[in-house]
Amino acid sequence: MNFVQLFKDGGPMMWPLLIAALVGLAIIFERMIVLHRMPSAKICEKQLNDIEDVLVKGGLEAAAQKLAKGKGVMNYIFARLIKRFDTLLTERRDLEQRRTELAGASVQAVDPVTKFLASQQEVAEVREELFVTIDDAVKGYVSKFLPALNTIGSIAPLLGLLGTITGMITAFASIAAAGTGDPKVVAGGISQALITTATGLIIAIPAVVTYRYLAGKADQSRSGVELYAVSFANTLIAMLEKSK
């Protein structure tokens, strides 16, 4: 079978179908490698202990520098958490400074109960922000490009159908111009219609099946690393409570 000739006979819609197929293959290959390299529980625990040790001894800046030199899902999540935590601390300091400036000399003493409740509310807000960051970071790492693969699986049959329609238009235009006496007049248009339909299905079926497999694999990997990400977030929150 001459695939080059089939590609030419398929008409102009074969080009977007080819692009969709190449992009889909690239995504599948990349995601297979990433999900295959997800660390085991033992490695995750070691990375957690290492970064917490650096955090306790050197602070946020030392931990951020260590994470900048590493790679992998745990480094990525820990770095996101530290960046978000540092941003929250900066916002907190800025807010307190502005409150002091606006209050000026009229600042009144706050009773211990009110101060404690405000402190707990602040910690709860930071915890919520960090947990949202964990969800976004883990999902962004393990599920990256999977929505694009799902889209390819959905649009490939539609591109094939569009090629079918353009092929039938070509066939009917040939009939209108030359009549129905010679089957060769409509053969080109019908051939184009069938080739694009088959190509769209050939691309879509593996794309959808592989997407389901990779999505399930991503969910398994996600649950495996979230535990250690939450533990690190709790360490950051403990640092915040200790500083109060």
Side-chain angles (χ1 to χ4, degrees), residues 13 35 48-49 54 68 73 87 123 135 145-146 157 161 171 179 193 196 243:
M13 288 308 301
L35 295 176
L48 174 63
N49 292 334
V54 174
V73 59
T87 301
V123 170
D135 186 66
F145 302 131
L146 288 184
L161 179 61
T196 53
S243 66

Side-chain angles (χ1 to χ4, degrees), residues 143-219:
S143 301
K144 190 177 181 181
F145 302 131
L146 288 184
L149 181 61
N150 188 35
T151 301
I152 289 172
S154 300
I155 67 171
L158 298 178
L159 292 174
L161 179 61
L162 181 58
T164 300
I165 294 173
T166 56
M168 295 306 297
I169 291 174
T170 301
F172 285 120
S174 299
I175 292 174
T180 59
D182 189 359
K184 294 182 179 180
V185 172
V186 297
I190 295 176
S191 175
Q192 175 180 326
L194 295 177
I195 290 172
T196 53
T197 301
T199 303
L201 293 175
I202 290 171
I203 294 171
I205 293 173
V208 171
V209 172
T210 309
Y211 166 77
R212 298 296 182 187
Y213 169 76
L214 292 176
K217 190 76 172 174
D219 287 339

Side-chain angles (χ1 to χ4, degrees), residues 58-135:
L60 289 176
E61 185 175 352
Q65 290 177 355
K66 177 178 173 59
L67 292 171
K69 299 176 182 177
K71 60 182 179 179
V73 59
M74 300 311 301
N75 269 272
Y76 175 76
I77 296 171
F78 292 159
R80 285 279 302 272
L81 283 171
I82 285 182
K83 182 178 180 181
R84 183 56 183 155
F85 184 70
D86 184 61
T87 301
L88 292 172
L89 291 183
T90 303
E91 292 174 352
R92 170 174 163 258
R93 287 192 296 265
D94 182 66
L95 179 59
E96 290 179 351
Q97 180 181 354
R98 291 185 179 276
R99 282 175 176 172
T100 303
E101 292 174 353
L102 291 174
S106 63
V107 177
Q108 298 180 355
V110 180
D111 64 276
V113 175
T114 303
K115 185 177 180 180
F116 173 77
L117 292 176
S119 174
Q120 291 301 307
Q121 177 65 25
E122 182 181 330
V123 170
E125 291 174 355
V126 171
R127 179 182 286 107
E128 183 179 354
E129 287 285 345
L130 292 181
F131 285 178
V132 169
T133 301
I134 290 173
D135 186 66

